[in-house]
Short mmCIF file of all heavy atoms in Angstrom, two decimals:
data_model
loop_
_atom_site.label_atom_id
_atom_site.label_comp_id
_atom_site.label_asym_id
_atom_site.label_seq_id
_atom_site.Cartn_x
_atom_site.Cartn_y
_atom_site.Cartn_z
N SER F 58 -76.04 93.79 0.71
CA SER F 58 -76.71 92.87 -0.30
C SER F 58 -77.95 92.15 0.27
O SER F 58 -78.83 92.07 -0.46
CB SER F 58 -75.59 91.79 -0.64
OG SER F 58 -74.45 92.40 -1.22
N GLU F 59 -77.88 91.64 1.57
CA GLU F 59 -79.01 91.07 2.21
C GLU F 59 -80.25 92.02 2.24
O GLU F 59 -81.44 91.71 1.96
CB GLU F 59 -78.65 90.65 3.55
CG GLU F 59 -77.77 89.46 3.60
CD GLU F 59 -77.20 89.21 5.00
OE1 GLU F 59 -78.08 89.15 5.90
OE2 GLU F 59 -76.02 88.81 5.17
N GLU F 60 -79.93 93.24 2.60
CA GLU F 60 -81.03 94.30 2.65
C GLU F 60 -81.62 94.50 1.28
O GLU F 60 -82.84 94.70 1.16
CB GLU F 60 -80.48 95.56 3.34
CG GLU F 60 -81.49 96.70 3.68
CD GLU F 60 -81.86 97.49 2.53
OE1 GLU F 60 -80.92 97.84 1.70
OE2 GLU F 60 -82.98 97.86 2.33
N ALA F 61 -80.67 94.70 0.27
CA ALA F 61 -81.24 94.97 -1.17
C ALA F 61 -82.25 93.89 -1.55
O ALA F 61 -83.32 94.15 -2.06
CB ALA F 61 -80.15 95.16 -1.97
N VAL F 62 -81.88 92.63 -1.49
CA VAL F 62 -82.67 91.57 -1.96
C VAL F 62 -83.77 91.28 -1.05
O VAL F 62 -84.83 90.76 -1.38
CB VAL F 62 -81.97 90.23 -2.35
CG1 VAL F 62 -80.88 90.48 -3.47
CG2 VAL F 62 -81.31 89.63 -1.13
N GLY F 63 -83.73 91.64 0.22
CA GLY F 63 -84.66 91.42 1.26
C GLY F 63 -85.90 92.27 1.01
O GLY F 63 -86.95 92.08 1.72
N ARG F 64 -85.82 93.19 0.19
CA ARG F 64 -86.95 94.12 -0.23
C ARG F 64 -88.00 93.29 -0.97
O ARG F 64 -89.08 93.84 -1.25
CB ARG F 64 -86.52 95.34 -0.89
CG ARG F 64 -85.55 96.28 -0.10
CD ARG F 64 -85.03 97.33 -0.99
NE ARG F 64 -84.15 98.16 -0.14
CZ ARG F 64 -83.87 99.40 -0.49
NH1 ARG F 64 -84.47 99.99 -1.52
NH2 ARG F 64 -83.03 100.05 0.27
N PHE F 65 -87.63 92.18 -1.45
CA PHE F 65 -88.47 91.42 -2.39
C PHE F 65 -88.67 90.01 -1.89
O PHE F 65 -87.94 89.43 -1.05
CB PHE F 65 -87.76 91.34 -3.81
CG PHE F 65 -87.41 92.67 -4.38
CD1 PHE F 65 -86.13 93.15 -4.16
CD2 PHE F 65 -88.30 93.44 -5.10
CE1 PHE F 65 -85.83 94.42 -4.65
CE2 PHE F 65 -88.02 94.71 -5.50
CZ PHE F 65 -86.68 95.24 -5.40
N VAL F 66 -89.82 89.38 -2.36
CA VAL F 66 -90.06 87.94 -1.95
C VAL F 66 -89.24 86.97 -2.72
O VAL F 66 -89.01 85.93 -2.20
CB VAL F 66 -91.61 87.66 -1.99
CG1 VAL F 66 -92.39 88.51 -0.98
CG2 VAL F 66 -92.18 87.78 -3.33
N ARG F 67 -88.88 87.33 -3.90
CA ARG F 67 -88.00 86.48 -4.70
C ARG F 67 -87.19 87.43 -5.67
O ARG F 67 -87.53 88.51 -6.01
CB ARG F 67 -88.87 85.61 -5.65
CG ARG F 67 -89.62 84.47 -4.86
CD ARG F 67 -88.75 83.33 -4.70
NE ARG F 67 -89.50 82.25 -4.00
CZ ARG F 67 -89.49 82.09 -2.71
NH1 ARG F 67 -88.96 82.89 -1.78
NH2 ARG F 67 -90.19 81.07 -2.11
N THR F 68 -85.99 86.89 -6.06
CA THR F 68 -85.20 87.51 -7.08
C THR F 68 -84.59 86.47 -7.92
O THR F 68 -84.52 85.33 -7.65
CB THR F 68 -84.05 88.38 -6.49
OG1 THR F 68 -83.26 87.48 -5.67
CG2 THR F 68 -84.57 89.55 -5.51
N GLN F 69 -84.27 86.94 -9.13
CA GLN F 69 -83.46 86.12 -10.03
C GLN F 69 -82.41 87.05 -10.74
O GLN F 69 -82.82 87.92 -11.43
CB GLN F 69 -84.24 85.36 -11.01
CG GLN F 69 -83.51 84.36 -11.85
CD GLN F 69 -84.28 83.59 -12.83
OE1 GLN F 69 -85.18 84.02 -13.39
NE2 GLN F 69 -83.79 82.25 -13.02
N HIS F 70 -81.14 86.77 -10.50
CA HIS F 70 -80.05 87.55 -11.11
C HIS F 70 -79.34 86.65 -12.14
O HIS F 70 -79.07 85.51 -11.90
CB HIS F 70 -79.01 87.89 -10.08
CG HIS F 70 -79.50 88.86 -9.08
ND1 HIS F 70 -80.46 88.51 -8.09
CD2 HIS F 70 -79.23 90.22 -8.97
CE1 HIS F 70 -80.73 89.60 -7.38
NE2 HIS F 70 -79.97 90.61 -7.82
N MET F 71 -79.25 87.09 -13.38
CA MET F 71 -78.56 86.39 -14.44
C MET F 71 -77.44 87.11 -14.99
O MET F 71 -77.59 88.37 -15.33
CB MET F 71 -79.57 85.98 -15.52
CG MET F 71 -80.66 85.03 -14.88
SD MET F 71 -81.76 84.34 -16.18
CE MET F 71 -82.49 85.72 -16.88
N ALA F 72 -76.27 86.49 -15.17
CA ALA F 72 -75.12 87.21 -15.69
C ALA F 72 -74.78 86.70 -17.06
O ALA F 72 -74.92 85.38 -17.39
CB ALA F 72 -73.92 86.94 -14.78
N SER F 73 -74.35 87.59 -17.96
CA SER F 73 -74.01 87.16 -19.33
C SER F 73 -72.85 88.03 -19.73
O SER F 73 -72.69 89.13 -19.35
CB SER F 73 -75.16 87.12 -20.35
OG SER F 73 -75.59 88.51 -20.57
N GLY F 74 -72.12 87.55 -20.71
CA GLY F 74 -71.02 88.33 -21.34
C GLY F 74 -69.92 88.67 -20.38
O GLY F 74 -69.44 89.81 -20.36
N ILE F 75 -69.62 87.71 -19.54
CA ILE F 75 -68.59 88.03 -18.50
C ILE F 75 -67.20 88.15 -19.23
O ILE F 75 -66.81 87.20 -19.89
CB ILE F 75 -68.51 86.88 -17.44
CG1 ILE F 75 -69.85 86.76 -16.73
CG2 ILE F 75 -67.40 87.22 -16.42
CD1 ILE F 75 -70.04 85.48 -15.92
N LEU F 76 -66.59 89.31 -19.05
CA LEU F 76 -65.32 89.63 -19.65
C LEU F 76 -64.33 89.83 -18.47
O LEU F 76 -64.54 90.45 -17.38
CB LEU F 76 -65.31 90.82 -20.41
CG LEU F 76 -66.22 90.84 -21.69
CD1 LEU F 76 -66.25 92.26 -22.32
CD2 LEU F 76 -65.90 89.76 -22.58
N VAL F 77 -63.12 89.07 -18.62
CA VAL F 77 -62.07 89.21 -17.53
C VAL F 77 -60.70 89.51 -18.17
O VAL F 77 -60.40 88.91 -19.17
CB VAL F 77 -61.97 87.76 -16.93
CG1 VAL F 77 -60.98 87.82 -15.82
CG2 VAL F 77 -63.39 87.37 -16.22
N ASP F 78 -60.09 90.48 -17.55
CA ASP F 78 -58.62 90.91 -17.94
C ASP F 78 -57.84 90.59 -16.78
O ASP F 78 -58.05 91.27 -15.66
CB ASP F 78 -58.62 92.40 -18.33
CG ASP F 78 -59.15 92.62 -19.71
OD1 ASP F 78 -58.94 91.76 -20.60
OD2 ASP F 78 -59.81 93.60 -19.95
N VAL F 79 -56.94 89.72 -16.85
CA VAL F 79 -56.14 89.23 -15.73
C VAL F 79 -54.78 89.87 -15.82
O VAL F 79 -54.16 89.95 -16.97
CB VAL F 79 -55.86 87.67 -15.75
CG1 VAL F 79 -55.09 87.26 -14.56
CG2 VAL F 79 -57.23 87.00 -15.71
N GLU F 80 -54.23 90.37 -14.79
CA GLU F 80 -52.86 90.99 -14.65
C GLU F 80 -52.33 90.47 -13.29
O GLU F 80 -52.56 91.12 -12.34
CB GLU F 80 -52.91 92.42 -14.76
CG GLU F 80 -51.48 93.07 -14.87
CD GLU F 80 -51.56 94.55 -15.17
OE1 GLU F 80 -52.35 94.96 -16.06
OE2 GLU F 80 -50.73 95.21 -14.63
N GLY F 81 -51.49 89.34 -13.42
CA GLY F 81 -50.98 88.86 -12.17
C GLY F 81 -52.06 88.42 -11.20
O GLY F 81 -52.80 87.52 -11.46
N ASP F 82 -51.92 88.97 -9.90
CA ASP F 82 -52.81 88.51 -8.91
C ASP F 82 -54.02 89.39 -8.84
O ASP F 82 -54.77 89.33 -7.75
CB ASP F 82 -52.17 88.48 -7.52
CG ASP F 82 -51.12 87.34 -7.43
OD1 ASP F 82 -51.27 86.37 -8.26
OD2 ASP F 82 -50.24 87.46 -6.65
N ARG F 83 -54.37 90.11 -9.81
CA ARG F 83 -55.60 90.91 -9.80
C ARG F 83 -56.26 90.83 -11.21
O ARG F 83 -55.49 90.50 -12.19
CB ARG F 83 -55.30 92.39 -9.44
CG ARG F 83 -54.46 93.17 -10.45
CD ARG F 83 -54.48 94.67 -10.25
NE ARG F 83 -55.84 95.23 -10.21
CZ ARG F 83 -56.57 95.63 -11.38
NH1 ARG F 83 -56.07 95.21 -12.59
NH2 ARG F 83 -57.79 96.17 -11.27
N ALA F 84 -57.48 91.15 -11.27
CA ALA F 84 -58.22 91.12 -12.58
C ALA F 84 -59.36 92.10 -12.53
O ALA F 84 -59.79 92.52 -11.47
CB ALA F 84 -58.76 89.69 -12.79
N ASP F 85 -59.64 92.69 -13.73
CA ASP F 85 -60.88 93.53 -13.95
C ASP F 85 -61.92 92.52 -14.59
O ASP F 85 -61.62 91.77 -15.51
CB ASP F 85 -60.57 94.62 -14.85
CG ASP F 85 -59.66 95.71 -14.23
OD1 ASP F 85 -59.84 95.88 -12.99
OD2 ASP F 85 -58.75 96.17 -14.91
N ALA F 86 -63.12 92.69 -14.15
CA ALA F 86 -64.21 91.82 -14.68
C ALA F 86 -65.41 92.72 -14.85
O ALA F 86 -65.64 93.66 -14.13
CB ALA F 86 -64.48 90.62 -13.84
N SER F 87 -66.19 92.33 -15.96
CA SER F 87 -67.47 93.20 -16.11
C SER F 87 -68.38 92.09 -16.73
O SER F 87 -67.95 91.21 -17.52
CB SER F 87 -67.27 94.38 -17.02
OG SER F 87 -66.70 93.99 -18.40
N TRP F 88 -69.68 92.38 -16.50
CA TRP F 88 -70.72 91.46 -17.11
C TRP F 88 -72.05 92.23 -17.20
O TRP F 88 -72.36 93.11 -16.45
CB TRP F 88 -70.85 90.17 -16.35
CG TRP F 88 -71.26 90.35 -14.83
CD1 TRP F 88 -72.52 90.28 -14.33
CD2 TRP F 88 -70.39 90.54 -13.74
NE1 TRP F 88 -72.49 90.42 -13.05
CE2 TRP F 88 -71.13 90.53 -12.57
CE3 TRP F 88 -68.96 90.70 -13.64
CZ2 TRP F 88 -70.56 90.77 -11.33
CZ3 TRP F 88 -68.48 90.93 -12.34
CH2 TRP F 88 -69.31 90.96 -11.25
N ASN F 89 -72.87 91.77 -18.02
CA ASN F 89 -74.19 92.25 -18.19
C ASN F 89 -74.97 91.45 -17.19
O ASN F 89 -74.80 90.32 -16.87
CB ASN F 89 -74.75 92.07 -19.54
CG ASN F 89 -74.03 92.92 -20.54
OD1 ASN F 89 -73.81 94.00 -20.41
ND2 ASN F 89 -73.79 92.25 -21.65
N ALA F 90 -76.04 92.10 -16.62
CA ALA F 90 -76.96 91.48 -15.59
C ALA F 90 -78.38 91.79 -15.98
O ALA F 90 -78.73 92.87 -16.34
CB ALA F 90 -76.57 91.95 -14.21
N HIS F 91 -79.17 90.73 -15.78
CA HIS F 91 -80.66 90.94 -15.96
C HIS F 91 -81.22 90.41 -14.60
O HIS F 91 -81.05 89.34 -14.21
CB HIS F 91 -81.22 89.97 -17.08
CG HIS F 91 -82.70 90.28 -17.31
ND1 HIS F 91 -83.53 89.35 -17.34
CD2 HIS F 91 -83.34 91.39 -17.55
CE1 HIS F 91 -84.78 89.70 -17.58
NE2 HIS F 91 -84.68 91.02 -17.69
N MET F 92 -81.78 91.36 -13.98
CA MET F 92 -82.15 91.18 -12.41
C MET F 92 -83.72 91.43 -12.33
O MET F 92 -84.17 92.38 -12.53
CB MET F 92 -81.39 92.20 -11.55
CG MET F 92 -79.89 91.92 -11.72
SD MET F 92 -78.95 93.29 -11.07
CE MET F 92 -78.99 94.48 -12.45
N THR F 93 -84.42 90.20 -11.98
CA THR F 93 -85.89 90.36 -11.82
C THR F 93 -86.21 90.25 -10.30
O THR F 93 -85.61 89.33 -9.64
CB THR F 93 -86.50 89.16 -12.60
OG1 THR F 93 -86.22 89.26 -13.98
CG2 THR F 93 -88.03 89.19 -12.50
N HIS F 94 -86.97 91.11 -9.89
CA HIS F 94 -87.29 91.30 -8.40
C HIS F 94 -88.87 91.16 -8.35
O HIS F 94 -89.55 91.84 -9.06
CB HIS F 94 -86.82 92.52 -7.79
CG HIS F 94 -85.44 92.90 -8.06
ND1 HIS F 94 -85.04 93.49 -9.33
CD2 HIS F 94 -84.35 92.67 -7.35
CE1 HIS F 94 -83.70 93.61 -9.23
NE2 HIS F 94 -83.25 93.28 -8.17
N VAL F 95 -89.39 90.18 -7.41
CA VAL F 95 -90.78 90.01 -7.29
C VAL F 95 -91.23 90.71 -5.98
O VAL F 95 -90.72 90.35 -4.87
CB VAL F 95 -91.22 88.54 -7.28
CG1 VAL F 95 -92.64 88.39 -7.08
CG2 VAL F 95 -90.55 87.82 -8.45
N HIS F 96 -92.12 91.78 -6.06
CA HIS F 96 -92.75 92.37 -4.88
C HIS F 96 -93.66 91.41 -4.23
O HIS F 96 -94.23 90.37 -4.84
CB HIS F 96 -93.54 93.62 -5.32
CG HIS F 96 -92.70 94.67 -5.74
ND1 HIS F 96 -91.81 95.47 -4.92
CD2 HIS F 96 -92.42 95.28 -7.01
CE1 HIS F 96 -91.23 96.42 -5.50
NE2 HIS F 96 -91.56 96.32 -6.79
N ASP F 97 -94.07 91.68 -3.01
CA ASP F 97 -94.99 90.81 -2.26
C ASP F 97 -96.42 90.71 -2.89
O ASP F 97 -97.08 89.67 -2.62
CB ASP F 97 -94.96 91.18 -0.83
CG ASP F 97 -95.51 92.53 -0.53
OD1 ASP F 97 -95.84 93.32 -1.50
OD2 ASP F 97 -95.57 93.06 0.63
N ASP F 98 -96.80 91.67 -3.83
CA ASP F 98 -98.07 91.63 -4.46
C ASP F 98 -97.91 90.85 -5.75
O ASP F 98 -98.83 90.74 -6.59
CB ASP F 98 -98.65 92.99 -4.66
CG ASP F 98 -97.89 93.86 -5.57
OD1 ASP F 98 -96.81 93.37 -6.14
OD2 ASP F 98 -98.28 95.02 -5.74
N GLY F 99 -96.65 90.33 -6.10
CA GLY F 99 -96.52 89.56 -7.21
C GLY F 99 -96.03 90.41 -8.53
O GLY F 99 -95.71 89.92 -9.51
N SER F 100 -96.05 91.80 -8.34
CA SER F 100 -95.57 92.62 -9.47
C SER F 100 -94.11 92.52 -9.47
O SER F 100 -93.30 92.16 -8.64
CB SER F 100 -96.14 94.07 -9.20
OG SER F 100 -95.51 94.64 -8.04
N LEU F 101 -93.64 92.87 -10.74
CA LEU F 101 -92.08 92.74 -10.98
C LEU F 101 -91.41 94.15 -11.03
O LEU F 101 -91.99 95.02 -11.57
CB LEU F 101 -91.91 92.00 -12.24
CG LEU F 101 -92.48 90.67 -12.45
CD1 LEU F 101 -92.00 90.14 -13.73
CD2 LEU F 101 -91.86 89.75 -11.24
N PHE F 102 -90.24 94.15 -10.56
CA PHE F 102 -89.26 95.23 -10.78
C PHE F 102 -88.04 94.64 -11.40
O PHE F 102 -87.35 93.77 -10.88
CB PHE F 102 -88.92 95.89 -9.47
CG PHE F 102 -87.81 97.05 -9.74
CD1 PHE F 102 -88.13 98.12 -10.55
CD2 PHE F 102 -86.64 97.01 -9.08
CE1 PHE F 102 -87.10 99.10 -10.70
CE2 PHE F 102 -85.63 97.98 -9.20
CZ PHE F 102 -85.98 99.04 -10.02
N THR F 103 -87.90 95.04 -12.73
CA THR F 103 -86.85 94.37 -13.53
C THR F 103 -85.67 95.42 -13.88
O THR F 103 -86.06 96.49 -14.15
CB THR F 103 -87.34 93.70 -14.78
OG1 THR F 103 -88.52 92.90 -14.48
CG2 THR F 103 -86.32 92.97 -15.57
N VAL F 104 -84.48 94.97 -13.78
CA VAL F 104 -83.34 95.87 -14.03
C VAL F 104 -82.45 95.21 -15.02
O VAL F 104 -82.03 94.04 -14.90
CB VAL F 104 -82.60 96.21 -12.84
CG1 VAL F 104 -81.37 97.07 -13.08
CG2 VAL F 104 -83.49 96.73 -11.76
N GLY F 105 -82.06 95.89 -16.03
CA GLY F 105 -80.88 95.43 -16.96
C GLY F 105 -79.80 96.37 -16.73
O GLY F 105 -79.90 97.62 -16.56
N GLY F 106 -78.61 95.80 -16.45
CA GLY F 106 -77.47 96.68 -16.10
C GLY F 106 -76.11 96.00 -16.41
O GLY F 106 -76.05 94.93 -17.03
N ARG F 107 -75.18 96.63 -15.77
CA ARG F 107 -73.86 96.16 -15.95
C ARG F 107 -73.23 96.15 -14.52
O ARG F 107 -73.34 97.07 -13.80
CB ARG F 107 -73.00 96.90 -16.98
CG ARG F 107 -71.61 96.65 -17.11
CD ARG F 107 -70.94 97.54 -18.03
NE ARG F 107 -69.48 97.63 -17.76
CZ ARG F 107 -68.73 97.80 -18.84
NH1 ARG F 107 -69.14 98.03 -20.05
NH2 ARG F 107 -67.42 97.79 -18.49
N PHE F 108 -72.25 95.16 -14.33
CA PHE F 108 -71.46 95.12 -13.07
C PHE F 108 -70.07 95.31 -13.59
O PHE F 108 -69.60 94.70 -14.65
CB PHE F 108 -71.53 93.70 -12.45
CG PHE F 108 -72.71 93.54 -11.52
CD1 PHE F 108 -74.08 93.51 -11.99
CD2 PHE F 108 -72.48 93.41 -10.12
CE1 PHE F 108 -75.01 93.25 -11.15
CE2 PHE F 108 -73.49 93.23 -9.33
CZ PHE F 108 -74.83 93.14 -9.73
N ASP F 109 -69.33 96.19 -12.82
CA ASP F 109 -67.89 96.30 -13.02
C ASP F 109 -67.22 95.88 -11.81
O ASP F 109 -67.69 96.22 -10.68
CB ASP F 109 -67.53 97.71 -13.44
CG ASP F 109 -68.05 98.12 -14.69
OD1 ASP F 109 -67.67 97.42 -15.78
OD2 ASP F 109 -68.84 99.12 -14.87
N ALA F 110 -66.23 95.03 -11.90
CA ALA F 110 -65.53 94.56 -10.57
C ALA F 110 -63.99 94.49 -10.70
O ALA F 110 -63.55 94.30 -11.81
CB ALA F 110 -66.07 93.19 -10.30
N GLU F 111 -63.36 94.64 -9.57
CA GLU F 111 -61.94 94.23 -9.48
C GLU F 111 -61.94 93.08 -8.57
O GLU F 111 -62.63 92.89 -7.68
CB GLU F 111 -61.18 95.35 -8.82
CG GLU F 111 -61.10 96.67 -9.65
CD GLU F 111 -60.37 97.76 -8.94
OE1 GLU F 111 -59.71 97.57 -7.78
OE2 GLU F 111 -60.47 98.94 -9.25
N VAL F 112 -61.08 92.17 -9.02
CA VAL F 112 -60.92 90.84 -8.28
C VAL F 112 -59.50 90.58 -7.90
O VAL F 112 -58.60 90.99 -8.72
CB VAL F 112 -61.47 89.73 -9.24
CG1 VAL F 112 -61.48 88.43 -8.40
CG2 VAL F 112 -62.77 90.06 -9.73
N ARG F 113 -59.27 90.03 -6.72
CA ARG F 113 -57.87 89.81 -6.28
C ARG F 113 -57.76 88.26 -5.97
O ARG F 113 -58.58 87.67 -5.37
CB ARG F 113 -57.51 90.64 -5.09
CG ARG F 113 -57.19 92.01 -5.45
CD ARG F 113 -56.43 92.75 -4.28
NE ARG F 113 -56.93 92.47 -2.92
CZ ARG F 113 -57.48 93.33 -2.17
NH1 ARG F 113 -57.86 94.55 -2.65
NH2 ARG F 113 -57.80 93.07 -0.89
N ARG F 114 -56.43 87.79 -6.28
CA ARG F 114 -56.24 86.41 -5.80
C ARG F 114 -55.83 86.45 -4.40
O ARG F 114 -55.09 87.25 -3.96
CB ARG F 114 -55.05 85.86 -6.60
CG ARG F 114 -54.80 84.36 -6.39
CD ARG F 114 -53.48 83.84 -6.97
NE ARG F 114 -53.29 84.46 -8.36
CZ ARG F 114 -53.52 83.74 -9.53
NH1 ARG F 114 -53.97 82.53 -9.52
NH2 ARG F 114 -53.16 84.33 -10.63
N THR F 115 -56.49 85.63 -3.58
CA THR F 115 -56.18 85.43 -2.18
C THR F 115 -55.75 84.08 -1.84
O THR F 115 -55.95 83.23 -2.76
CB THR F 115 -57.40 85.87 -1.30
OG1 THR F 115 -58.37 84.77 -1.48
CG2 THR F 115 -58.02 87.15 -1.75
N PRO F 116 -55.22 83.77 -0.67
CA PRO F 116 -55.01 82.30 -0.34
C PRO F 116 -56.26 81.48 -0.47
O PRO F 116 -56.13 80.25 -0.82
CB PRO F 116 -54.53 82.43 1.14
CG PRO F 116 -53.96 83.74 1.24
CD PRO F 116 -54.87 84.60 0.37
#
Side-chain angles (χ1 to χ4, degrees):
S58 299
E59 291 174 39
E60 188 275 325
V62 298
R64 297 173 181 206
F65 305 96
V66 294
R67 294 276 184 264
T68 58
Q69 185 175 37
H70 293 73
M71 296 188 299
S73 66
I75 302 170
L76 300 176
V77 177
D78 285 321
V79 180
E80 189 171 316
D82 287 339
R83 67 166 304 282
D85 292 316
S87 63
W88 61 95
N89 294 315
H91 187 231
M92 300 162 278
T93 302
H94 310 84
V95 182
H96 289 287
D97 57 5
D98 67 0
S100 64
L101 302 180
F102 175 59
T103 308
V104 181
R107 176 180 158 150
F108 277 70
D109 293 302
E111 293 176 13
V112 187
R113 285 199 314 252
R114 188 189 320 259
T115 72

